[in-house]
Amino acid sequence: MSGIDDAWWRDAVIYQVYPRSFADADGDGVGDIDGIRAHLGHLRDLGVDAIWMSPWYPSPMADAGYDVADFRDIDPVFGDLAGAEALIAEAHAAGIRMIVDIVPNHISSEHPWFKAALASPDAPERDYFWFRPGRDGGATMPTDWTGEFGGTTWTKAPDGSWYLHLFTPEQPDLNWEHPDVQAEFEAILRFWFDRGVDGIRIDSAALLFKDKDLPEVREGAPHPFHDLDAVHDVYRAWRRVADEYPGRALIGEVWMPEVDRFTNYLRPDELHAAFNFDFLGCAWDPYLMRDCVDRTLDAHAKVGAPPTWVLSNHDVTRHVTRYGRADTTFSFDNNLDGTPVDLELGTRRARAAALLSLSLPGGAYVYQGEELGLWENETIPEDQIQDPMYARRGHTRDGCRVPLPWSGDEPPYAFSTTTPWLPQPAEWKDRTVQAQTGDPSSMLELYRAAIRLRHSQGAGFAWLDRGATVLAYTRGADFACVLNLSGAPVPLPEHQTILLASGPLDGDLLPQDTAIWLRL
């Protein structure tokens, strides 16, 4: 399959599967590979082009699988390598490509490399990590760096030295200066490409290198571990590996406030695409949204890379909830203050955002459950929270990782035959796949229709003048999208054929927070 349409990622709809929460086939309350295989029909009917699989490797699960102990195997909670290979083959047979997640910044403290490094200061594996002496005669950490989850970034080893971890202590950072580290990950890419995987999603892609002098983070000074220039040599090497396998894509998770620094990762000899967090974090505001779209299209055009459009993922509050708040911008901490959520408003905006994101030029990413209109579960009891970020920042990402509802009127909604690993809201009984299938007003049928119609859009992009608070643009000669962000109903375009609407229309008026697709 990979030899067909070698640039498939340029306009693909890519669906993120969070394997713990997709479907449980063996009845242990945790999702698994066989559960995904059993529900491939849902993804085929949705019309997605590819699946991005969050980590499924052997892991102690200190950070939900992003602490990897072996990149060449499957954690038993999910299945085994034979099952993974069967899923890849069955997805391909259904016309769906497969993307796997690679985590290059760090590995698990249970990885053989790190266990060898801890066992002896003279072990060659010691140089694969960031072991350093402490300050004050070894009593205090080498730096005062703050971790990506908050908290400290150094842990003392048994021999008195300290090792670096930008995330949890169970995720020691790798030393990407070492050629063995570089060679190992190139071999890992080949391992999965040889098994038919069509793409690699790269976690925390900008963090690999650190300033060897270990300076503190200071305003106005170069950052000691964000976006160091040497990281681009790694991705040029990875691109050379990917180019050995036609039709393979490298897709980066690149959190970068500066657009020019972001697009450096998308130069012709580096990554094929990267997530557009600028769009994900944009407030529901016509001026900010228009600027975000222009900024995104301009930046990607300069390097010849396809833009991407992302509304949610496994790390952020689901956008039905975000769009139902007064402040709709993304923040790791945006659900801590008990701000009321208007789920009806959030759902209406999420439906409009679906038509926006699926009609803009480039690739679109759908996080599992987004097509069902799921909202953040913000009522998980504290003793059931599993996210390590909670202990460090008081915020949990578990609310967007709650298992999917498939059918039935009460939990576990056919996700499992037992209690799921995270609790599902009772209110989701109307959000199951079964309940929404065949209902033309449902979120699921809106996504199915939009993805089906998406393939008939033309190329190109041009704004239409419908006023500053209405986003309207054409795709090709005869397709247009209109989104009303004005705060009041506006007249519908005249003499056009409406193909799809995100919500009910009001006679000749387009209600606020509603989008339509038109045939011109």
Side-chain angles (χ1 to χ4, degrees), residues 280-345:
L280 183 153
C282 188
W284 193 252
D285 173 275
Y287 304 100
L288 296 176
M289 193 71 76
R290 185 186 297 266
D291 285 347
C292 176
V293 171
D294 281 338
R295 188 164 55 245
T296 297
L297 295 177
D298 290 347
H300 287 76
K302 290 176 181 177
V303 291
T308 64
W309 311 98
V310 185
L311 295 171
S312 286
N313 67 25
H314 65 291
D315 282 332
V316 304
T317 301
R318 285 189 177 274
H319 61 277
V320 166
T321 296
R322 296 200 319 270
Y323 289 154
R325 298 186 192 277
D327 179 6
T328 61
T329 55
F330 161 71
S331 166
F332 269 127
D333 303 320
N334 68 353
N335 66 345
L336 295 183
D337 58 4
T339 303
V341 180
D342 184 339
L343 290 178
E344 182 179 350
L345 173 64

Side-chain angles (χ1 to χ4, degrees), residues 210-263:
K210 285 79 182 175
D211 187 328
K212 289 180 285 189
D213 294 332
L214 302 182
E216 295 297 342
V217 178
R218 293 186 176 87
E219 187 175 352
H223 199 284
F225 56 83
H226 279 176
D227 189 37
L228 272 64
D229 288 341
V231 74
H232 297 286
D233 291 332
V234 169
Y235 297 132
R236 290 186 183 99
W238 286 25
R239 179 61 175 265
R240 290 192 291 271
V241 173
D243 286 347
E244 296 172 15
Y245 299 82
R248 269 49 170 200
L250 301 174
I251 303 166
E253 181 196 28
V254 184
W255 293 83
M256 198 69 57
E258 301 88 1
V259 171
D260 290 343
R261 300 294 295 184
F262 170 81
T263 54

